[in-house]
Amino acid sequence: ILLSQELERLQNSEDELGGISVGLVDDEDLYKWNVIFPGPADTLYDGGYFKAQLTFPDDYPNHPPEMKFITEMWHPNIYPDGKV
């Protein structure tokens, strides 16, 4: 229930999130989210939009979600397969 409340809150406040968009990968799976967000201003990523997936564990919030970039990019904290 917590996860569905968080998703609804984020979807209802997209205008306040600075261009971040959040939705489910599959309407039948609350534990996998698509996230699209703009690159930070005044950085190498400024002007770009980046897609990632969050996969939440069954015991969320006791354990964090895993994040994987779908958009190909280079960053020292991102593995070649997109995992953070």
Side-chain angles (χ1 to χ4, degrees):
I1 292 181
L2 174 65
L3 200 52
S4 64
Q5 290 172 343
E6 288 186 18
L7 177 63
E8 184 177 341
R9 182 181 59 80
L10 289 169
Q11 289 177 327
N12 290 331
S13 62
E14 285 181 5
D15 292 339
E16 301 167 17
L17 294 176
I20 296 173
S21 176
V22 181
L24 296 176
V25 172
D26 175 352
D27 289 339
E28 302 297 318
D29 188 356
L30 182 60
Y31 293 93
K32 284 195 173 192
W33 295 11
N34 278 325
V35 181
I36 301 172
F37 55 93
D42 301 322
T43 69
L44 176 66
Y45 306 103
D46 191 0
Y49 279 86
F50 304 93
K51 185 175 181 180
Q53 285 186 350
L54 293 174
T55 303
F56 293 85
D58 291 337
D59 62 349
Y60 177 82
N62 294 324
H63 288 91
E66 291 181 7
M67 183 172 180
K68 180 178 181 178
F69 277 89
I70 305 305
T71 303
E72 189 174 321
M73 63 181 302
W74 181 90
H75 188 279
N77 296 331
I78 299 173
Y79 290 96
D81 68 356
K83 290 184 181 176
V84 177

